[in-house]
Amino acid sequence: ARTRAGRSADRGARLRHRNRAVSAPDLEDLALQSSPDIAQARCFATRGDVRLVVVMRGSNPMPNAAQRRELERLLRGVSPVTLGALRIEGPTLRFLGAHLQLHVQSLDDAGAVARSVRERIAAWLDAVTGGADGEGWPLGRSPDASDIALALVDAPGLAGVADMVLHEIVNRVLERPWPASLRGSDLVVLR
């Protein structure tokens, strides 16, 4: 998924597409350039159908109707008439649950360590600032135990993690094993 990267990458993209959309990466780049509220964009193009998934900054990653209309208007204005159907959508949210058996340095700090662990995992999976590079947890990427372990490196008061089980939460209650892979339009959210 395309994310907001450094200025040099934005300049390179502008030179490549010259503010015209002729390919899926052009649509992604132009969507990101269109608004600072868009954190990620991923384009899926099939014959006669273009679907652009955008992740918004803030507490709600879903674009509202006005944001979708404005982005569609802008992209149609810089695209060839042969573009065909263009749909602007938000990501499919996949809710991650994690059962961790934590070893803490002091039982007196167990509650604070547990809160810190949850905050660190949520920050690692943040669509805007998460991940190892700090550029946002990408659309379509499925976290695994090693990702959670990286999020917890140097967590204050945490002596180790003895066991970790990742699961998906469906309809706020049903738990099923976390999938090894996700669709490109899926966004992971810690529940």
Side-chain angles (χ1 to χ4, degrees):
R2 302 244 182 202
T3 59
R4 290 206 177 271
R7 291 177 204 255
S8 62
D10 286 344
R11 270 186 249 125
R14 272 189 230 117
L15 286 173
R16 179 179 41 77
H17 60 65
R18 300 181 192 277
N19 290 327
R20 298 295 299 164
V22 294
S23 68
D26 294 343
L27 289 169
E28 293 169 351
D29 290 336
L30 289 165
L32 288 170
Q33 292 171 18
S34 73
S35 171
D37 294 332
I38 298 176
Q40 293 186 44
R42 181 175 258 179
C43 187
F44 302 91
T46 57
R47 223 176 292 160
D49 184 41
V50 176
R51 183 170 65 111
L52 183 67
V53 176
V54 294
V55 177
M56 306 305 290
R57 293 178 180 274
S59 60
N60 183 4
M62 308 300 282
N64 63 37
Q67 290 166 323
R68 289 192 313 267
R69 278 192 309 271
E70 179 59 22
L71 183 55
E72 181 177 356
R73 183 196 61 73
L74 179 139
L75 293 176
R76 286 212 177 272
V78 297
S79 299
V81 292
T82 57
L83 178 66
L86 171 63
R87 292 180 294 144
I88 310 293
E89 301 175 354
T92 302
L93 302 181
R94 303 291 293 266
F95 296 100
L96 172 70
H99 294 292
L100 306 175
Q101 185 179 354
L102 305 176
H103 289 282
V104 296
Q105 293 171 350
S106 168
L107 284 178
D108 294 337
D109 299 327
V113 171
R115 283 188 296 280
S116 172
V117 163
R118 178 170 179 66
E119 290 167 2
R120 283 172 169 262
I121 295 171
W124 188 262
L125 297 174
D126 185 271
V128 178
T129 60
D133 58 8
E135 291 186 10
W137 189 261
L139 280 164
R141 177 140 182 252
S142 183
D144 59 22
S146 65
D147 291 307
I148 304 303
L150 284 171
L152 301 180
V153 167
D154 298 329
L158 181 64
V161 178
D163 190 31
M164 182 183 316
V165 177
L166 303 180
H167 58 272
E168 183 172 16
I169 301 171
V170 181
N171 297 328
R172 296 191 174 261
V173 284
L174 176 66
E175 294 181 9
R176 61 182 175 209
W178 186 258
S181 64
L182 299 175
R183 293 182 313 243
S185 59
D186 290 346
L187 182 66
V188 178
V189 178
L190 183 65
R191 180 61 63 155

